[in-house]
Amino acid sequence: MNKKERYKLFIEYFSKTQPNPKTELHYRNPFELVIAVILSAQCTDKRVNLVTPKLFEKFPTPEHLANASYAEVFEIIKSVSYPNNKSKHIVEMAKKIVQDYGSVVPKDIKELQKLPGVGRKSANVIASVIYSQPAMAVDTHVFRVSKRLGLVSENAKTPLAVEKELVKNIPKKYIPHAHHWLILHGRYICLAKKPLCEICQIKHFCKFIEKNQEKNTSNTDVNEI
């Protein structure tokens, strides 16, 4: 099976089974999503969702958070990973949004990356989720699953390389959805250490499965000689 056929089957399957996938981060507006995305770096969405309600209640607007101290924020988010750095990032992010963007979260990916704590991956998430832009955020799940399915080449060694291949091959209207499809599949089925291949519904076009079958067949042939 070639790459074009894999993409076709990938889009067909998830378009039917998950036509409107959503981020698992809880938020009510663009500003809250930016905070949640910053907090989610190297941390689970479940953990982030436990701390954000209190944070959003105490600092409901960019202005409120911009006037907060790092210590105040730290006390609320201290159970997430790297709370010291993230406390500083979200306070400084709020200040920049207030001062440079009139308290409105920017749409442009380059502008989003100017916000403290927001790198390319995070900017792509925000642009995709809030503004439905054809931006592909590549986290560990997207990187792993796209490789296993055979959607990207073995030569794609970096998140940026994987991002470029996915964006090149997925029609623009599906890119915001495809980001979630790959993440959710990686989070619940195509696990890093032990993928649940036995219950996977897309293994018929998975390159990882295909390779393992070929390997097993080859080993069987050798043993029979």
Side-chain angles (χ1 to χ4, degrees), residues 79-136:
S79 64
V80 305
S81 59
Y82 308 106
N84 281 308
N85 287 338
K86 290 178 180 178
S87 298
K88 296 174 183 177
H89 284 158
I90 63 175
V91 170
E92 294 304 316
M93 173 274 295
K95 289 179 180 178
K96 191 167 184 65
I97 284 181
V98 171
Q99 295 168 4
D100 296 353
Y101 301 102
S103 298
V104 177
V105 175
K107 294 182 179 181
D108 185 79
I109 290 176
K110 289 184 179 179
E111 293 301 314
L112 284 166
Q113 289 181 78
K114 293 179 182 179
L115 301 176
V118 178
R120 183 179 181 86
K121 183 194 77 174
S122 296
N124 282 342
V125 171
I126 297 161
S128 172
V129 173
I130 295 296
Y131 301 117
S132 297
Q133 294 185 29
M136 175 59 70

Short mmCIF file of all heavy atoms in Angstrom, two decimals, residues 79-136:
data_model
loop_
_atom_site.label_atom_id
_atom_site.label_comp_id
_atom_site.label_asym_id
_atom_site.label_seq_id
_atom_site.Cartn_x
_atom_site.Cartn_y
_atom_site.Cartn_z
N SER A 79 0.89 21.62 41.07
CA SER A 79 0.83 20.18 40.83
C SER A 79 1.13 19.81 39.38
O SER A 79 1.27 18.63 39.06
CB SER A 79 -0.54 19.62 41.23
OG SER A 79 -1.56 20.15 40.41
N VAL A 80 1.23 20.80 38.50
CA VAL A 80 1.58 20.48 37.11
C VAL A 80 3.11 20.42 36.98
O VAL A 80 3.84 20.81 37.89
CB VAL A 80 1.02 21.53 36.11
CG1 VAL A 80 -0.48 21.68 36.28
CG2 VAL A 80 1.72 22.88 36.25
N SER A 81 3.59 19.94 35.85
CA SER A 81 5.04 19.87 35.64
C SER A 81 5.62 21.28 35.47
O SER A 81 4.97 22.17 34.92
CB SER A 81 5.34 19.03 34.40
OG SER A 81 4.72 19.60 33.26
N TYR A 82 6.82 21.47 35.96
CA TYR A 82 7.56 22.74 35.85
C TYR A 82 6.73 23.96 36.25
O TYR A 82 6.60 24.92 35.49
CB TYR A 82 8.08 22.91 34.42
CG TYR A 82 8.86 21.73 33.92
CD1 TYR A 82 8.30 20.86 32.98
CD2 TYR A 82 10.13 21.45 34.40
CE1 TYR A 82 9.00 19.74 32.53
CE2 TYR A 82 10.84 20.34 33.96
CZ TYR A 82 10.27 19.49 33.03
OH TYR A 82 10.97 18.39 32.59
N PRO A 83 6.15 23.95 37.45
CA PRO A 83 5.28 25.06 37.86
C PRO A 83 5.99 26.41 37.98
O PRO A 83 5.35 27.45 37.75
CB PRO A 83 4.74 24.59 39.21
CG PRO A 83 5.78 23.63 39.72
CD PRO A 83 6.29 22.93 38.51
N ASN A 84 7.27 26.41 38.33
CA ASN A 84 7.98 27.69 38.44
C ASN A 84 8.04 28.40 37.10
O ASN A 84 7.66 29.58 36.98
CB ASN A 84 9.41 27.46 38.95
CG ASN A 84 9.45 27.24 40.45
OD1 ASN A 84 8.92 28.03 41.23
ND2 ASN A 84 10.07 26.16 40.89
N ASN A 85 8.50 27.69 36.09
CA ASN A 85 8.60 28.29 34.76
C ASN A 85 7.23 28.65 34.20
O ASN A 85 7.05 29.72 33.60
CB ASN A 85 9.30 27.34 33.78
CG ASN A 85 10.79 27.25 34.05
OD1 ASN A 85 11.38 28.13 34.64
ND2 ASN A 85 11.40 26.16 33.61
N LYS A 86 6.27 27.77 34.39
CA LYS A 86 4.94 28.02 33.83
C LYS A 86 4.23 29.18 34.51
O LYS A 86 3.45 29.89 33.87
CB LYS A 86 4.11 26.73 33.89
CG LYS A 86 4.61 25.66 32.92
CD LYS A 86 3.82 24.38 33.01
CE LYS A 86 4.35 23.34 32.03
NZ LYS A 86 3.64 22.04 32.11
N SER A 87 4.48 29.37 35.80
CA SER A 87 3.90 30.52 36.51
C SER A 87 4.37 31.81 35.86
O SER A 87 3.58 32.73 35.59
CB SER A 87 4.30 30.50 37.98
OG SER A 87 3.83 29.36 38.64
N LYS A 88 5.67 31.88 35.59
CA LYS A 88 6.24 33.07 34.96
C LYS A 88 5.72 33.23 33.54
O LYS A 88 5.38 34.34 33.11
CB LYS A 88 7.77 32.97 34.95
CG LYS A 88 8.39 32.97 36.34
CD LYS A 88 9.90 32.72 36.28
CE LYS A 88 10.49 32.64 37.69
NZ LYS A 88 11.95 32.33 37.66
N HIS A 89 5.67 32.12 32.81
CA HIS A 89 5.23 32.19 31.42
C HIS A 89 3.81 32.73 31.28
O HIS A 89 3.56 33.61 30.44
CB HIS A 89 5.31 30.80 30.78
CG HIS A 89 6.70 30.38 30.43
ND1 HIS A 89 7.06 29.06 30.28
CD2 HIS A 89 7.83 31.10 30.21
CE1 HIS A 89 8.34 28.99 29.98
NE2 HIS A 89 8.84 30.20 29.95
N ILE A 90 2.88 32.21 32.08
CA ILE A 90 1.49 32.63 31.86
C ILE A 90 1.24 34.07 32.34
O ILE A 90 0.43 34.78 31.77
CB ILE A 90 0.48 31.64 32.46
CG1 ILE A 90 0.59 31.54 33.97
CG2 ILE A 90 0.61 30.27 31.82
CD1 ILE A 90 -0.50 30.64 34.58
N VAL A 91 1.95 34.49 33.37
CA VAL A 91 1.81 35.89 33.81
C VAL A 91 2.39 36.83 32.75
O VAL A 91 1.76 37.83 32.37
CB VAL A 91 2.50 36.12 35.17
CG1 VAL A 91 2.55 37.63 35.48
CG2 VAL A 91 1.76 35.38 36.29
N GLU A 92 3.58 36.49 32.24
CA GLU A 92 4.20 37.32 31.22
C GLU A 92 3.42 37.27 29.91
O GLU A 92 3.36 38.26 29.17
CB GLU A 92 5.66 36.89 31.00
CG GLU A 92 6.57 37.12 32.19
CD GLU A 92 6.57 38.58 32.66
OE1 GLU A 92 6.64 39.48 31.79
OE2 GLU A 92 6.47 38.81 33.89
N MET A 93 2.83 36.13 29.62
CA MET A 93 1.98 36.00 28.44
C MET A 93 0.80 36.94 28.53
O MET A 93 0.45 37.64 27.57
CB MET A 93 1.51 34.54 28.30
CG MET A 93 0.49 34.29 27.20
SD MET A 93 -1.23 34.58 27.71
CE MET A 93 -1.46 33.33 28.96
N ALA A 94 0.17 36.98 29.70
CA ALA A 94 -0.98 37.86 29.91
C ALA A 94 -0.58 39.33 29.75
O ALA A 94 -1.30 40.12 29.13
CB ALA A 94 -1.58 37.62 31.30
N LYS A 95 0.57 39.68 30.29
CA LYS A 95 1.05 41.07 30.16
C LYS A 95 1.23 41.44 28.69
O LYS A 95 0.86 42.54 28.27
CB LYS A 95 2.38 41.24 30.91
CG LYS A 95 2.26 41.21 32.42
CD LYS A 95 3.62 41.36 33.08
CE LYS A 95 3.51 41.34 34.60
NZ LYS A 95 4.84 41.43 35.26
N LYS A 96 1.82 40.53 27.92
CA LYS A 96 2.08 40.82 26.51
C LYS A 96 0.78 40.94 25.72
O LYS A 96 0.65 41.81 24.85
CB LYS A 96 2.97 39.74 25.90
CG LYS A 96 3.50 40.11 24.52
CD LYS A 96 4.62 39.20 24.09
CE LYS A 96 5.20 39.63 22.74
NZ LYS A 96 5.86 40.95 22.80
N ILE A 97 -0.18 40.07 26.03
CA ILE A 97 -1.47 40.15 25.33
C ILE A 97 -2.16 41.48 25.62
O ILE A 97 -2.74 42.10 24.73
CB ILE A 97 -2.37 38.95 25.73
CG1 ILE A 97 -1.89 37.68 25.02
CG2 ILE A 97 -3.83 39.22 25.37
CD1 ILE A 97 -2.71 36.46 25.32
N VAL A 98 -2.08 41.90 26.86
CA VAL A 98 -2.69 43.19 27.24
C VAL A 98 -1.96 44.35 26.57
O VAL A 98 -2.58 45.24 25.96
CB VAL A 98 -2.67 43.37 28.78
CG1 VAL A 98 -3.11 44.79 29.15
CG2 VAL A 98 -3.58 42.34 29.45
N GLN A 99 -0.64 44.36 26.66
CA GLN A 99 0.15 45.49 26.18
C GLN A 99 0.28 45.56 24.66
O GLN A 99 0.22 46.64 24.07
CB GLN A 99 1.55 45.42 26.80
CG GLN A 99 1.56 45.61 28.31
CD GLN A 99 2.90 45.26 28.94
OE1 GLN A 99 3.87 44.95 28.25
NE2 GLN A 99 2.97 45.30 30.26
N ASP A 100 0.44 44.39 24.02
CA ASP A 100 0.74 44.38 22.58
C ASP A 100 -0.43 44.01 21.68
O ASP A 100 -0.41 44.30 20.48
CB ASP A 100 1.89 43.41 22.29
CG ASP A 100 3.19 43.84 22.94
OD1 ASP A 100 3.25 44.96 23.51
OD2 ASP A 100 4.16 43.05 22.90
N TYR A 101 -1.45 43.35 22.25
CA TYR A 101 -2.53 42.86 21.40
C TYR A 101 -3.92 43.29 21.87
O TYR A 101 -4.93 42.72 21.45
CB TYR A 101 -2.47 41.33 21.31
CG TYR A 101 -1.16 40.82 20.74
CD1 TYR A 101 -0.18 40.30 21.58
CD2 TYR A 101 -0.89 40.90 19.37
CE1 TYR A 101 1.03 39.84 21.07
CE2 TYR A 101 0.32 40.46 18.86
CZ TYR A 101 1.28 39.93 19.72
OH TYR A 101 2.48 39.49 19.21
N GLY A 102 -3.96 44.32 22.73
CA GLY A 102 -5.25 44.84 23.18
C GLY A 102 -6.12 43.82 23.86
O GLY A 102 -7.35 43.82 23.74
N SER A 103 -5.48 42.89 24.60
CA SER A 103 -6.18 41.85 25.37
C SER A 103 -6.87 40.80 24.49
O SER A 103 -7.73 40.06 24.95
CB SER A 103 -7.20 42.47 26.34
OG SER A 103 -6.55 43.29 27.28
N VAL A 104 -6.48 40.76 23.21
CA VAL A 104 -7.06 39.78 22.28
C VAL A 104 -5.97 38.79 21.85
O VAL A 104 -4.88 39.20 21.45
CB VAL A 104 -7.64 40.47 21.03
CG1 VAL A 104 -8.16 39.43 20.04
CG2 VAL A 104 -8.75 41.42 21.43
N VAL A 105 -6.26 37.50 21.93
CA VAL A 105 -5.30 36.48 21.52
C VAL A 105 -5.08 36.59 20.01
O VAL A 105 -6.04 36.53 19.24
CB VAL A 105 -5.80 35.07 21.87
CG1 VAL A 105 -4.86 34.00 21.32
CG2 VAL A 105 -5.94 34.92 23.38
N PRO A 106 -3.83 36.77 19.57
CA PRO A 106 -3.58 36.92 18.12
C PRO A 106 -3.89 35.65 17.34
O PRO A 106 -3.82 34.55 17.88
CB PRO A 106 -2.09 37.27 18.07
CG PRO A 106 -1.52 36.71 19.32
CD PRO A 106 -2.60 36.87 20.36
N LYS A 107 -4.21 35.82 16.05
CA LYS A 107 -4.53 34.68 15.19
C LYS A 107 -3.29 34.15 14.47
O LYS A 107 -3.21 32.97 14.17
CB LYS A 107 -5.57 35.08 14.14
CG LYS A 107 -6.93 35.43 14.70
CD LYS A 107 -7.89 35.77 13.57
CE LYS A 107 -9.28 36.10 14.09
NZ LYS A 107 -10.23 36.41 12.99
N ASP A 108 -2.38 35.05 14.16
CA ASP A 108 -1.21 34.69 13.37
C ASP A 108 -0.26 33.79 14.17
O ASP A 108 0.06 34.08 15.33
CB ASP A 108 -0.48 35.96 12.92
CG ASP A 108 0.68 35.65 12.00
OD1 ASP A 108 0.44 35.40 10.81
OD2 ASP A 108 1.84 35.65 12.47
N ILE A 109 0.20 32.71 13.53
CA ILE A 109 1.07 31.76 14.23
C ILE A 109 2.38 32.40 14.65
O ILE A 109 2.90 32.13 15.75
CB ILE A 109 1.31 30.52 13.34
CG1 ILE A 109 0.01 29.71 13.24
CG2 ILE A 109 2.43 29.64 13.89
CD1 ILE A 109 0.08 28.53 12.31
N LYS A 110 2.93 33.26 13.82
CA LYS A 110 4.18 33.94 14.17
C LYS A 110 3.98 34.86 15.37
O LYS A 110 4.86 34.97 16.24
CB LYS A 110 4.71 34.73 12.98
CG LYS A 110 5.25 33.86 11.86
CD LYS A 110 5.84 34.69 10.73
CE LYS A 110 6.40 33.80 9.63
NZ LYS A 110 6.96 34.60 8.51
N GLU A 111 2.84 35.52 15.42
CA GLU A 111 2.54 36.41 16.56
C GLU A 111 2.30 35.57 17.82
O GLU A 111 2.73 35.96 18.91
CB GLU A 111 1.32 37.27 16.26
CG GLU A 111 1.51 38.29 15.15
CD GLU A 111 2.65 39.27 15.44
OE1 GLU A 111 2.71 39.79 16.57
OE2 GLU A 111 3.47 39.51 14.53
N LEU A 112 1.64 34.47 17.69
CA LEU A 112 1.40 33.60 18.84
C LEU A 112 2.71 33.12 19.45
O LEU A 112 2.84 33.02 20.67
CB LEU A 112 0.54 32.39 18.42
CG LEU A 112 -0.94 32.65 18.21
CD1 LEU A 112 -1.59 31.47 17.49
CD2 LEU A 112 -1.65 32.92 19.53
N GLN A 113 3.69 32.86 18.60
CA GLN A 113 4.99 32.38 19.09
C GLN A 113 5.79 33.45 19.83
O GLN A 113 6.78 33.15 20.48
CB GLN A 113 5.82 31.83 17.93
CG GLN A 113 5.29 30.52 17.38
CD GLN A 113 6.13 29.96 16.25
OE1 GLN A 113 7.19 29.38 16.48
NE2 GLN A 113 5.67 30.13 15.03
N LYS A 114 5.32 34.69 19.76
CA LYS A 114 5.97 35.76 20.51
C LYS A 114 5.51 35.78 21.97
O LYS A 114 6.12 36.45 22.81
CB LYS A 114 5.67 37.12 19.86
CG LYS A 114 6.29 37.29 18.49
CD LYS A 114 5.93 38.64 17.88
CE LYS A 114 6.52 38.81 16.47
NZ LYS A 114 6.15 40.12 15.87
N LEU A 115 4.45 35.03 22.26
CA LEU A 115 3.94 34.98 23.63
C LEU A 115 4.83 34.07 24.47
O LEU A 115 5.18 32.97 24.04
CB LEU A 115 2.50 34.44 23.65
CG LEU A 115 1.45 35.22 22.87
CD1 LEU A 115 0.11 34.49 22.92
CD2 LEU A 115 1.31 36.64 23.42
N PRO A 116 5.21 34.50 25.67
CA PRO A 116 6.03 33.64 26.55
C PRO A 116 5.37 32.29 26.78
O PRO A 116 4.16 32.21 27.03
CB PRO A 116 6.09 34.46 27.85
CG PRO A 116 5.95 35.88 27.39
CD PRO A 116 4.97 35.83 26.26
N GLY A 117 6.16 31.24 26.65
CA GLY A 117 5.64 29.89 26.89
C GLY A 117 4.96 29.26 25.69
O GLY A 117 4.51 28.11 25.77
N VAL A 118 4.88 29.98 24.58
CA VAL A 118 4.21 29.46 23.39
C VAL A 118 5.23 29.23 22.28
O VAL A 118 5.74 30.17 21.68
CB VAL A 118 3.11 30.42 22.89
CG1 VAL A 118 2.46 29.88 21.61
CG2 VAL A 118 2.05 30.62 23.97
N GLY A 119 5.52 27.95 22.01
CA GLY A 119 6.40 27.59 20.91
C GLY A 119 5.59 27.27 19.67
O GLY A 119 4.38 27.51 19.62
N ARG A 120 6.24 26.70 18.68
CA ARG A 120 5.56 26.42 17.41
C ARG A 120 4.40 25.44 17.60
O ARG A 120 3.31 25.64 17.07
CB ARG A 120 6.55 25.87 16.39
CG ARG A 120 5.92 25.61 15.02
CD ARG A 120 6.93 25.09 14.01
NE ARG A 120 6.31 24.89 12.71
CZ ARG A 120 6.18 25.84 11.79
NH1 ARG A 120 6.62 27.06 12.03
NH2 ARG A 120 5.60 25.57 10.62
N LYS A 121 4.65 24.36 18.36
CA LYS A 121 3.60 23.37 18.57
C LYS A 121 2.38 24.00 19.24
O LYS A 121 1.24 23.81 18.80
CB LYS A 121 4.12 22.21 19.42
CG LYS A 121 3.09 21.10 19.63
CD LYS A 121 3.51 20.15 20.74
CE LYS A 121 3.25 20.77 22.09
NZ LYS A 121 3.50 19.84 23.21
N SER A 122 2.62 24.75 20.30
CA SER A 122 1.52 25.39 21.03
C SER A 122 0.78 26.40 20.16
O SER A 122 -0.45 26.49 20.20
CB SER A 122 2.06 26.08 22.29
OG SER A 122 2.61 25.14 23.18
N ALA A 123 1.53 27.16 19.37
CA ALA A 123 0.92 28.15 18.47
C ALA A 123 0.01 27.45 17.46
O ALA A 123 -1.09 27.93 17.15
CB ALA A 123 2.00 28.95 17.76
N ASN A 124 0.47 26.32 16.95
CA ASN A 124 -0.34 25.56 16.00
C ASN A 124 -1.62 25.04 16.65
O ASN A 124 -2.68 25.03 16.02
CB ASN A 124 0.47 24.40 15.43
CG ASN A 124 1.45 24.83 14.35
OD1 ASN A 124 1.33 25.91 13.79
ND2 ASN A 124 2.43 24.00 14.07
N VAL A 125 -1.52 24.59 17.89
CA VAL A 125 -2.71 24.12 18.61
C VAL A 125 -3.72 25.24 18.74
O VAL A 125 -4.92 25.07 18.43
CB VAL A 125 -2.35 23.59 20.02
CG1 VAL A 125 -3.62 23.31 20.82
CG2 VAL A 125 -1.51 22.33 19.93
N ILE A 126 -3.27 26.39 19.19
CA ILE A 126 -4.17 27.53 19.40
C ILE A 126 -4.81 27.99 18.09
O ILE A 126 -6.02 28.21 18.01
CB ILE A 126 -3.40 28.70 20.07
CG1 ILE A 126 -2.91 28.27 21.46
CG2 ILE A 126 -4.28 29.94 20.17
CD1 ILE A 126 -1.79 29.12 22.01
N ALA A 127 -3.99 28.12 17.06
CA ALA A 127 -4.50 28.57 15.76
C ALA A 127 -5.50 27.57 15.18
O ALA A 127 -6.50 27.95 14.57
CB ALA A 127 -3.34 28.77 14.79
N SER A 128 -5.23 26.30 15.40
CA SER A 128 -6.11 25.25 14.88
C SER A 128 -7.42 25.17 15.65
O SER A 128 -8.51 25.17 15.06
CB SER A 128 -5.38 23.91 14.95
OG SER A 128 -6.23 22.85 14.62
N VAL A 129 -7.32 25.13 16.97
CA VAL A 129 -8.51 24.93 17.80
C VAL A 129 -9.40 26.17 17.83
O VAL A 129 -10.62 26.08 17.69
CB VAL A 129 -8.10 24.54 19.24
CG1 VAL A 129 -9.32 24.50 20.16
CG2 VAL A 129 -7.41 23.18 19.24
N ILE A 130 -8.81 27.33 18.02
CA ILE A 130 -9.60 28.55 18.15
C ILE A 130 -10.01 29.14 16.81
O ILE A 130 -11.16 29.55 16.62
CB ILE A 130 -8.82 29.62 18.95
CG1 ILE A 130 -8.59 29.13 20.38
CG2 ILE A 130 -9.56 30.95 18.95
CD1 ILE A 130 -9.86 28.94 21.18
N TYR A 131 -9.08 29.16 15.89
CA TYR A 131 -9.32 29.86 14.63
C TYR A 131 -9.48 28.93 13.42
O TYR A 131 -9.57 29.39 12.29
CB TYR A 131 -8.21 30.88 14.39
CG TYR A 131 -8.10 31.90 15.50
CD1 TYR A 131 -6.95 31.99 16.29
CD2 TYR A 131 -9.17 32.76 15.80
CE1 TYR A 131 -6.86 32.92 17.33
CE2 TYR A 131 -9.09 33.68 16.83
CZ TYR A 131 -7.93 33.76 17.60
OH TYR A 131 -7.83 34.68 18.62
N SER A 132 -9.50 27.63 13.67
CA SER A 132 -9.70 26.62 12.62
C SER A 132 -8.74 26.78 11.45
O SER A 132 -9.09 26.54 10.29
CB SER A 132 -11.16 26.67 12.10
OG SER A 132 -12.06 26.36 13.13
N GLN A 133 -7.53 27.21 11.74
CA GLN A 133 -6.52 27.34 10.70
C GLN A 133 -5.91 25.98 10.38
O GLN A 133 -5.87 25.09 11.24
CB GLN A 133 -5.43 28.31 11.15
CG GLN A 133 -5.89 29.75 11.32
CD GLN A 133 -4.74 30.68 11.65
OE1 GLN A 133 -3.60 30.45 11.26
NE2 GLN A 133 -5.03 31.75 12.38
N PRO A 134 -5.43 25.79 9.15
CA PRO A 134 -4.83 24.51 8.77
C PRO A 134 -3.42 24.35 9.34
O PRO A 134 -2.43 24.28 8.62
CB PRO A 134 -4.82 24.58 7.24
CG PRO A 134 -4.69 26.03 6.95
CD PRO A 134 -5.50 26.73 8.02
N ALA A 135 -3.34 24.34 10.67
CA ALA A 135 -2.06 24.25 11.38
C ALA A 135 -1.98 22.89 12.05
O ALA A 135 -2.91 22.46 12.72
CB ALA A 135 -1.94 25.36 12.41
N MET A 136 -0.86 22.22 11.87
CA MET A 136 -0.68 20.87 12.42
C MET A 136 0.34 20.88 13.55
O MET A 136 1.53 21.03 13.34
CB MET A 136 -0.21 19.92 11.31
CG MET A 136 0.13 18.52 11.78
SD MET A 136 -1.24 17.63 12.57
CE MET A 136 -2.31 17.34 11.15
#
